[in-house]
Amino acid sequence: MKDIRIALLDMNNNHVNQGFRNIKEISEAFKENSEEQVSIDIFDVRYKNEIPNVEDFDIFISSGGPGNPHREGHEWEDKFAGFLDEVYSHNQYNEDKKYLFLICHSFQLASIHWELGNICKRKSYSFGVMPVHKTEEGNQEFLFKNLPDPFYAVDSRAFQFIEPNQERFEELGMKITAIEKFRPHINLERAVMAIRFSDEIFGTQFHPEADPQGMIENLKDEKNRDAMIENFGMEKYLETVDRMDDEDKIILTRSQILPRFLQSAKKKILKGAEAMV
C-alpha cells in the first residue's frame, strides 16, 4: 500500500499565525482518519529558506503569510517560483500527479508568477468573515460542492487580485471559481477569490482553514479589529463576532474545502499507484 506524503509550506516568515495551526490540525485529522500511512513534513520557506523536493511528496499545502507578494529580492522567491513550475510541469508529463493547495499569500505569489492579472495593494486592510460568490466554473467546482452560494470565509489581506488577464487564463487552461461579493454602489472591480490552476492545483485568496478560535485570537490584534470595524462598522463587527461559530459559515467552509482536497488527492494518488503496479 502506498504511503501518502504531505509537505506543509509555512509562508509566515516567523510571525505567529493562526492559519498555520489550522492547516496542521486539518492535516493531522486527515492522517488520523486514513488507513494508509501518512507523513507530514513542515518547510519554513521564507524564514529558513526551506523548500520541499517535489519528487519526495504527493501533496503540498502552502500557507498564507504577511507582507508584499511582489518580489523583493529574497533567495526563497526564486526557489518558490521554481517549485511552482516543477509541480505544474511534473503533472503535465507524469502519470503520478502532485497535488498543491495555495492559500492567500501563496495564491498571490502564484498568480503573479503565472502573470494572471493585477495583484495590487487594497485601499485598506481587509479582515473579517466575508461572503464569497461562486462563478459559473465555481458551480462545477468539486471542492465547493457542499457549500451554498455565497458561502462564508475568513478574509485577511492587504493585497487583492483584480483585472484578470482572460487570454492568459485561456492559454493556461486556468479558471476563476470564486469572486468577491457584488457591490453595485461601489465602482470597484470585484477581486478574484479562488482559482482552479489545473486539475491538481487549486488556490484561494480567502482562508479555508480558518476556525472560530483562530478568528477570536486574531481579533485580539488591534490591526485586525480596527480593519474589521472600518470595513463593516461596529454593528456588523459585533454581529460577525456573535456569528463566528454558526455551523453554516466558517465552520462549514473549514469542514469542506481542505478536507475534500486532501481526500480527493489521496484517492487519485492511490488509484494512480495501483495503475502503475
Side-chain angles (χ1 to χ4, degrees):
M1 192 183 276
K2 181 172 167 50
D3 295 352
I4 304 289
R5 301 157 305 169
I6 300 174
L8 303 182
L9 283 71
D10 181 351
M11 304 296 281
N12 288 291
N13 204 13
N14 210 30
H15 290 72
V16 176
N17 184 269
Q18 293 299 319
F20 201 71
R21 171 185 63 80
N22 288 323
I23 292 166
K24 284 193 287 192
E25 276 177 13
I26 291 168
S27 304
E28 289 291 348
F30 168 75
K31 177 179 176 173
E32 277 167 34
N33 295 322
S34 287
E35 289 167 19
E36 300 73 23
Q37 275 293 119
V38 176
S39 65
I40 301 169
D41 287 280
I42 293 170
F43 294 83
D44 188 337
V45 178
R46 293 168 70 185
Y47 191 66
K48 292 186 182 163
N49 215 1
E50 299 171 342
I51 207 96
N53 180 357
V54 170
E55 288 306 316
D56 293 346
F57 297 92
D58 307 296
I59 301 172
F60 306 87
I61 301 174
S62 191
S63 79
N68 182 355
H70 291 278
R71 285 188 172 240
E72 296 181 317
H74 302 294
E75 195 184 327
W76 68 265
E77 292 167 338
D78 277 342
K79 286 188 175 181
F80 188 75
F83 162 78
L84 290 174
D85 284 339
E86 202 178 329
V87 173
Y88 187 80
S89 63
H90 173 97
N91 289 333
Q92 287 184 307
Y93 301 110
N94 293 277
E95 289 299 310
D96 66 313
K97 306 300 184 192
K98 307 285 181 181
Y99 296 85
L100 169 61
F101 201 106
L102 299 152
I103 298 169
C104 197
H105 194 79
S106 297
F107 169 84
Q108 293 167 358
L109 290 168
S111 299
I112 291 166
H113 177 66
W114 283 314
E115 300 174 350
L116 297 179
N118 178 11
I119 289 80
C120 58
K121 204 157 185 179
R122 283 176 52 91
K123 278 205 175 85
S124 62
Y125 180 69
S126 171
F127 185 84
V129 178
M130 313 281 186
V132 178
H133 291 261
K134 299 180 192 180
T135 60
E136 259 176 69
E137 281 86 1
N139 283 321
Q140 311 303 315
E141 175 53 58
F142 157 79
L143 297 179
F144 296 166
K145 192 175 170 215
N146 296 331
L147 296 173
D149 189 17
F151 58 91
Y152 286 82
V154 169
D155 195 32
S156 170
R157 62 198 160 104
F159 284 77
Q160 62 182 354
F161 177 157
I162 55 170
E163 298 159 8
N165 179 342
Q166 298 301 347
E167 280 176 22
R168 187 79 178 134
F169 269 87
E170 280 167 34
E171 180 193 334
L172 296 172
M174 298 180 176
K175 296 183 175 92
I176 296 168
T177 54
I179 50 177
E180 256 183 332
K181 66 176 177 181
F182 186 47
R183 293 176 295 176
H185 58 290
I186 300 175
N187 187 21
L188 287 174
E189 183 156 353
R190 295 163 83 176
V192 173
M193 295 305 275
I195 294 173
R196 169 59 69 188
F197 292 100
S198 73
D199 287 347
E200 301 82 17
I201 304 173
F202 194 82
T204 61
Q205 173 64 76
F206 58 84
H207 287 269
E209 78 280 15
D211 66 350
Q213 180 196 341
M215 273 297 276
I216 299 298
E217 274 305 308
N218 280 326
L219 285 171
K220 289 177 182 171
D221 182 331
E222 213 172 301
K223 182 183 81 159
N224 292 333
R225 199 167 55 243
D226 291 351
M228 207 162 151
I229 292 165
E230 186 187 334
N231 285 327
F232 299 108
M234 183 57 91
E235 193 181 336
K236 188 75 178 154
Y237 164 76
L238 294 170
E239 181 194 310
T240 303
V241 171
D242 187 45
R243 289 162 62 180
M244 202 77 79
D245 45 14
D246 285 5
E247 292 294 329
D248 64 342
K249 302 224 167 35
I250 63 175
I251 290 176
L252 177 63
T253 301
R254 176 187 162 99
S255 75
Q256 288 296 315
I257 297 178
L258 271 178
R260 280 177 85 81
F261 168 78
L262 287 166
Q263 286 298 344
S264 160
K266 178 177 88 168
K267 209 162 125 187
K268 289 172 183 165
I269 289 159
L270 296 175
K271 204 172 161 187
E274 274 172 33
M276 289 166 83
V277 170

